[in-house]
């Protein structure tokens, strides 16, 4: 006897209840969507914020800096005030191009048909294997985020002596966290010639604790039969290849990897969403809609953010647009494409409605640069639509540039 | 050294790899008191998990060798057992490709060798046929073997052991044999779990079979470790491989040459390489070999050098001839020790050991049967309860599972869609294996592209719920502990 | 125009310009700041060198549990040298559930005027 699969429907389904998803659910509700569903795979809402116990969040959204959990709770309080249907411990296993979600949770397995979908699944961490560190496969190799979860949320002592690869903020913050708990951090190694994270974090997470930072270096081997016993580090050349003869062995029992975040777009792929190789996230237009009609994207799953507030702002916007789509509003019409050139790694949105004025782009540079003039130009005409001077541009900081005039041709965002 | 108060076993099998478990299963068909002793914290911890998972047809080993005879005999048995035991597998076929024209003769030699060994389904095919059989393969000529297949080698190993266990055989993990004594006509095997007495012993200790034999005073063997490195692609790498594709084996390579093999899940495995190593425990992947694997794979299949790889692993072959020497062929050694009657050694069981395992098992049982009274068990149950993975079910079945038990609704592995119910079931396996790798091998949890980033914190919670204290949570037993304790003393 | 040896370099975080500041000490032991494009950079840099202040955040287990955690932070930065002493105080805390976000778990930590507050609600 076949059980009828419960089939539900909603106006807007938001996948992911972190800083972007919470905002998207609110944005959809405030734009008039009556049935908003928020699906979160953890037992509690908040996403990655729940394990980010340090402060630095909320400067733009709440005009004060607070910790990740506080930031999350405030948004959650707003969400529960609304008739938004929240499902936690629920994972979306599949999303079709027709916006049918397959959701599994302890409460049951069911299908949901959504008028519009907002992708807010966040990101995952690059693994040891993806950067192909040679050596053995002992216990004690963790990504920084996993370590943060185990330490902050489960009160677990992950080792005694650690080495951290990658100077992104997660790595720096975990260095401090480990130092707080008496776990020795032998060093932080960064393959590039510059630090990926905030300089303030280098000071407060490394210098304060006498933790050495070595740039232009990487881990070239992991050693240890069952548990990490040491790592071998080496300097790298301009091509980022290890330089023979510079190898050093560092005894340790833990290696934390903070080597990059990857938007989690498996569901987007299943829905046929076009992804950009530059961001790892969806190609979107100015409404944050992807190439699949009615499917919107925001937050870390769209592109990796460094400030949670911006992920939330994107979420509010995507949620609002999703609600309008679900209510029948359609764009259509011609679009122009926007690409990144020279020192700009990517610019977003990658597509814009022709004739639209006042569009704002988010972008990141590849290499740090000072006193840079960034321009938005016609790709063939060279016409300058916007020009802005930045005293300092860092790859780790997401930036914005706004264009006043209506956009009539394919554009590129250029930085020296 | 006296035995603890354990029963006297008719046969003790040393080594829980595919061969040991096949032997145990075959023995469990008879009225015998059986014990398997495995030194690691789970079965299939040695070369049984470090290979490409290929069911070989038997043409790439010399005719009349024991390797060839047991491979050919084992081929049919493996497919039958996999079917009966519900182990996922597929008869994919295989192509051995000639990249250069002069290699065509090698293909013909291989085919002849196969013909002489009684291997069916071999055919030399041309470029057009190659393209039809496997669109990703590019070559002028190939030897097509229609009976070759793929299987999960560790799932097979575990299934064999589960069948044996349900038919009364005992399996003890973390029970490596440390000393052997002879008293009252019995072998007394000392392990960390106690000392066990057995009338007969089967030494299938893989890489350590020579050392175990030496414990029994048999100094006839020396195993030379030869490491093979592997790389696995992401399932969504953009390339879909239908069957294993091997280049013609180079004459100077003690392995099989670097080949590409699909997994049942849709990954592509590159490898193995072949490097002689000094230390049997040196399971490291190395930079030059990883680069070589990709380069050679790219030669075999355009694009394969540039896709995303999610994992690397190694397998260490137990070679009986120093691989640094010239001639590299050595046959399986399966023999009852003349010095120690009743003690059977299986040494040098490298490829095609997986396929040959059931035939080797029959051979060993026949050897033991000369002295043991073998009576078939009328109630022998050849099957074992198998439940399909949640990820493989349709909507309807998924819905019913969750409605029946909410643990099927709780997702633990985001990449492979493994549920809590499957993890708990895996942890409650009959052997007491409770490591992260034990869960991984039984459920696929941790085998996806995030390589445990998402599931590890969840598994850690579930392990505690299942009674494993945090200080004991380990990747694969003993010293591979994840934690040194709690940060702030709780409670 | 340099006056003395550089004893510290840091990037100012008070505005997006991010001036690269240098703090120098001359023979008389006087400190001077260079690289600032506005006045605010001077007290910022001198503060960092003379009396660096830090906030801190960690988590503590709810009383009677080993792994139900309450995340905590200070309500204001404290002198850097008090980080470990305050962490030691925090490590002893075992708040009883329920805990409200913002609830003071330890008032005026080591006399600094900064409270240790819970940063999430635990029921």
């Amino acid at each position: 006897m076949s059980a009828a699969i419960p089939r539900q429907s909603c106006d807007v389904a938001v996948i992911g209840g972190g800083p972007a998803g919470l905002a998207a659910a609110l944005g959809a509700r405030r734009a008039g969507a009556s049935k908003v569903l928020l699906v979160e795979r953890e037992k509690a809402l908040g996403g990655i914020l729940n394990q980010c116990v340090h402060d630095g969040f909320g400067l733009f959204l709440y005009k004060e800096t607070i910790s990740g959990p506080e930031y999350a709770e405030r948004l959650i309080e707003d969400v529960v005030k609304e008739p938004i249907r929240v499902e936690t411990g629920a994972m979306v296993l599949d999303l079709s191009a027709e916006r049918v979600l397959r959701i599994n949770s302890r409460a049951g397995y069911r299908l949901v048909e959504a008028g519009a979908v907002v992708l807010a699944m966040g990101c995952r961490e690059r693994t040891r294997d993806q950067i192909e560190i040679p050596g053995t496969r002992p216990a004690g190799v963790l990504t920084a985020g996993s370590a943060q979860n185990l330490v902050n949320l489960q009160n677990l002592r992950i080792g005694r002596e650690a080495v951290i690869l990658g100077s992104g903020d997660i790595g720096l913050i975990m260095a401090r966290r480990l130092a707080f708990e008496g776990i020795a951090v032998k060093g932080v190694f960064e393959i590039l010639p510059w630090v990926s994270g905030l300089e303030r974090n280098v000071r407060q997470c490394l210098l304060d604790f006498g933790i050495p930072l070595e740039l232009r270096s990487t881990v070239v081997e992991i050693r240890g039969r069952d548990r990490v016993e040491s790592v071998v580090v080496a300097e790298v050349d301009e091509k980022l290849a290890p330089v023979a003869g510079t190898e050093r062995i560092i005894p340790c029992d833990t290696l934390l990897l903070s080597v990059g975040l990857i938007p989690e777009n498996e569901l987007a792929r299943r829905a046929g969403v076009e992804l950009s190789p530059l961001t790892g996230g969806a190609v979107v237009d100015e409404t944050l809609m992807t190439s699949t009609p009615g499917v919107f994207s925001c937050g870390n799953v769209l592109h990796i953010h460094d400030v949670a507030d911006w992920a939330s702002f994107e979420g509010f916007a995507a949620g609002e647009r999703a609600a309008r789509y679900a209510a029948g509003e359609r764009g259509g019409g011609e679009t122009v494409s926007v690409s990144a050139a020279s020192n700009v790694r990517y610019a977003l949105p990658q597509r814009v409605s022709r004739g639209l004025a006042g569009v704002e782009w988010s972008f990141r540079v590849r290499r740090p640069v000072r006193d840079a003039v960034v321009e938005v130009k016609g790709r063939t005409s060279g016409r300058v639509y916007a020009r802005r001077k930045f005293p300092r541009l860092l790859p780790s900081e997401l930036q914005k540039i706004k264009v006043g005039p209506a956009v009539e041709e394919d554009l590129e965002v250029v930085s020296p | 050294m006296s035995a603890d108060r354990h029963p006297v076993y008719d046969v003790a099998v040393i080594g829980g790899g595919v061969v040991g478990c096949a032997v145990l299963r075959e023995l469990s068909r008879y009225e015998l008191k059986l014990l398997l002793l495995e030194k690691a914290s789970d079965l299939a911890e040695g070369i049984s998990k470090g290979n490409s998972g290929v069911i070989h047809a038997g043409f790439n080993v010399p005719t009349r060798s024991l390797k060839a005879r047991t491979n050919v005999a084992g081929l049919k048995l493996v497919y039958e057992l996999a079917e009966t035991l519900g182990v996922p597998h597929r008869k994919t076929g295989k192509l051995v490709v000639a990249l250069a024209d002069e290699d065509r003769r090698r293909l013909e030699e291989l085919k002849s060798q196969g013909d002489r060994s009684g291997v069916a389904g071999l055919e030399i095919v041309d470029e057009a046929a190659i393209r039809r059989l496997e669109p990703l393969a590019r070559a002028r000529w190939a030897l097509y073997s229609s009976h070759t297949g793929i299987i999960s080698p560790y799932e097979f190993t575990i299934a064999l052991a589960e069948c044996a266990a349900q038919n009364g055989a005992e399996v003890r993990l973390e029970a490596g044999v440390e000393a052997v004594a002879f008293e009252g006509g019995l072998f007394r095997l000392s392990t960390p779990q106690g000392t066990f007495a057995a009338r007969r012993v089967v030494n299938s200790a893989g890489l350590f079979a020579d050392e175990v034999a030496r414990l029994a005073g048999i100094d006839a063997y020396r195993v030379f470790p030869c490491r093979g490195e592997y790389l696995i692609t992401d399932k969504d790498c953009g390339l879909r491989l239908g069957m294993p594709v091997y280049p013609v084996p180079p004459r100077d390579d003690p392995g099989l040459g670097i080949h590409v093999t699909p997994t049942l899940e849709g990954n592509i495995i590159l490898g193995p390489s072949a490097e002689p190593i000094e230390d049997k425990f040196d399971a490291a992947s190395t930079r030059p070999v990883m680069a070589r694997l990709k380069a050679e794979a790219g030669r075999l299949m355009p694009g394969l050098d540039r896709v995303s790889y999610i994992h690397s692993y190694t397998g260490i072959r137990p070679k009986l001839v120093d691989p640094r020497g010239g001639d590299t062929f050595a046959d399986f050694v399966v023999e009852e020790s003349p010095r120690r009657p009743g003690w059977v050694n299986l040494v040098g069981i490298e490829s095609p050991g997986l396929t040959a395992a059931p035939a080797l098992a029959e051979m060993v049982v026949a050897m033991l049967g000369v002295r043991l009274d073998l009576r078939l068990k009328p109630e022998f149950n050849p099957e074992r309860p198998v439940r399909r993975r949640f990820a493989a079910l349709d909507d309807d079945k998924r819905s019913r599972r969750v409605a029946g038990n909410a643990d099927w609704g709780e997702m633990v592995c985001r990449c492979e869609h493994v549920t809590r119910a499957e993890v708990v079931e895996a942890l409650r396996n009959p052997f007491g294996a409770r490591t992260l790798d034990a869960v991984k091998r039984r459920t696929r949890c941790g085998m996806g592209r995030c390589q445990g980033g998402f599931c590890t914190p969840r598994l850690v919670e579930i392990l505690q719920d299942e009674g494993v204290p945090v200080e004991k949570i380990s990747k694969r037993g003993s010293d591979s502990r994840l934690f040194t304790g709690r940060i702030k003393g709780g409670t | 125009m340099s006056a003395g040896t550089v004893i510290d370099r840091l990037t100012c975080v008070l505005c997006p310009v991010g001036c690269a500041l240098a703090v120098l000490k001359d023979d008389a032991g006087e400190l001077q700041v260079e690289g600032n494009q506005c006045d605010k950079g001077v007290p910022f840099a001198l503060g960092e060198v003379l009396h660096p202040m830090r906030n801190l955040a960690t988590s503590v287990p709810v009383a009677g549990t080993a792994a139900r955690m309450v995340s905590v932070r200070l309500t204001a930065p404290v002198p850097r040298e008090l980080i470990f002493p305050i962490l030691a105080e925090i490590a002893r805390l075992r708040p009883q559930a329920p805990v409200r976000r913002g609830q003071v778990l330890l008032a005026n930590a080591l006399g600094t005027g900064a409270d240790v507050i819970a940063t999430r609600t635990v029921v």
Side-chain angles (χ1 to χ4, degrees), chain B residues 391-414:
Chain B
L393 300 174
D394 62 26
D395 287 339
D396 201 45
K397 295 199 175 73
R398 287 180 179 184
S399 175
R400 276 187 282 161
R401 288 251 179 114
V402 179
N405 174 4
D407 278 358
W408 287 99
E410 191 177 320
M411 303 306 300
V412 176
C413 173
R414 64 177 273 312

Side-chain angles (χ1 to χ4, degrees), chain A residues 2-3 41-42 102 104-106 109 124 129 132 135 137 146 154-155 157 225-227 264 266, chain B residues 283 285 294 310 395-396 398 407-408 410 414 449 453 457-458 476 481-482 484-488:
Chain A
S2 152
R41 69 188 177 193
E42 297 287 340
R102 282 171 161 73
N104 197 26
S105 75
R106 294 185 72 88
Y109 179 83
R124 58 185 163 87
D129 295 279
E132 296 179 11
R137 275 156 292 279
S146 291
Q154 294 197 51
N155 191 23
R157 191 168 282 280
R225 192 190 290 182
D226 295 309
R227 175 86 200 194
E264 262 203 50
E266 276 89 344
Chain B
S285 296
K294 288 196 277 181
I310 61 169
D395 287 339
D396 201 45
R398 287 180 179 184
D407 278 358
W408 287 99
E410 191 177 320
R414 64 177 273 312
R449 60 183 62 93
R458 276 151 198 74
R476 50 175 178 264
R481 308 265 162 87
L482 261 61
T484 59
R486 295 266 181 216
I487 292 181
K488 290 161 179 114

Side-chain angles (χ1 to χ4, degrees), chain A residues 77-285:
Chain A
E77 276 160 13
D78 286 345
V79 164
V80 303
K81 279 189 198 112
E82 305 276 349
I84 293 171
R85 188 186 154 94
V86 173
E87 292 193 24
T88 52
M91 189 182 282
V92 178
L93 299 184
D94 188 62
L95 175 67
S96 72
E98 295 75 34
R99 302 186 301 272
V100 175
L101 293 80
R102 282 171 161 73
I103 304 178
N104 197 26
S105 75
R106 294 185 72 88
Y109 179 83
R110 65 231 111 90
L111 271 54
V112 174
E113 292 168 351
V117 173
V118 179
L119 304 173
M121 297 87 74
C123 61
R124 58 185 163 87
E125 300 176 275
R126 186 164 278 117
T127 66
R128 172 257 172 107
D129 295 279
Q130 283 175 285
I131 58 173
E132 296 179 11
I133 305 179
T136 52
R137 275 156 292 279
V141 179
L142 289 169
T143 53
S146 291
Q148 190 180 52
N149 182 308
L150 294 165
V151 167
N152 288 346
L153 300 182
Q154 294 197 51
N155 191 23
L156 288 167
R157 191 168 282 280
I158 57 172
R160 297 194 177 89
E161 291 186 313
V163 164
I164 299 179
L165 177 61
S167 65
D169 286 320
I170 305 174
L172 299 178
I173 282 164
M174 277 313 288
R176 177 175 60 191
R177 191 75 180 85
L178 296 184
F180 277 179
E181 305 305 342
I183 298 173
V185 181
K186 303 293 224 25
V188 173
F189 296 87
E190 166 58 52
I191 200 170
L192 294 175
W194 55 81
V195 172
S196 302
L198 299 172
E199 206 223 77
R200 186 186 75 218
N201 282 334
V202 174
R203 233 180 146 68
Q204 299 189 1
C205 300
L206 304 187
L207 294 176
D208 277 4
F209 301 96
I211 296 172
L213 167 67
E214 292 189 26
L215 302 176
R216 289 193 176 87
S217 304
T218 192
V219 171
V220 294
E221 191 187 334
I222 297 172
R223 293 184 180 178
R225 192 190 290 182
D226 295 309
R227 175 86 200 194
V228 173
E229 288 165 28
S230 64
V231 297
V232 180
V233 298
E235 292 168 25
V236 300
D237 60 24
E238 334 71 55
K239 295 205 189 72
L240 306 186
V243 176
T246 65
E247 296 91 356
R248 276 155 50 216
I249 299 173
I250 303 186
C252 60
D253 68 355
T254 306
L255 173 65
L256 292 194
L257 300 168
S258 169
V259 293
L261 298 173
I262 301 169
E264 262 203 50
N265 273 300
E266 276 89 344
L267 286 178
R269 266 200 209 95
R270 289 169 123 113
V273 167
E274 186 194 342
L275 298 177
S276 158
L278 299 174
T279 56
V283 170
V284 292
D285 63 18

Side-chain angles (χ1 to χ4, degrees), chain B residues 22 24 80 83 113 117 131 134 139 203 207 213 229 264 278 284 313 317 340 343 383 434-435 447 453 459:
Chain B
L24 192 72
E80 280 170 7
E83 204 60 51
Q113 183 166 258
S117 296
R131 199 107 32 118
E134 177 45 69
N203 168 18
L207 203 50
E229 296 188 32
L264 291 156
E278 293 304 320
Y313 67 100
R317 306 172 186 80
R340 299 272 178 246
W343 180 291
E383 296 175 353
R434 303 213 290 178
T435 61
M447 287 191 173
L459 288 178

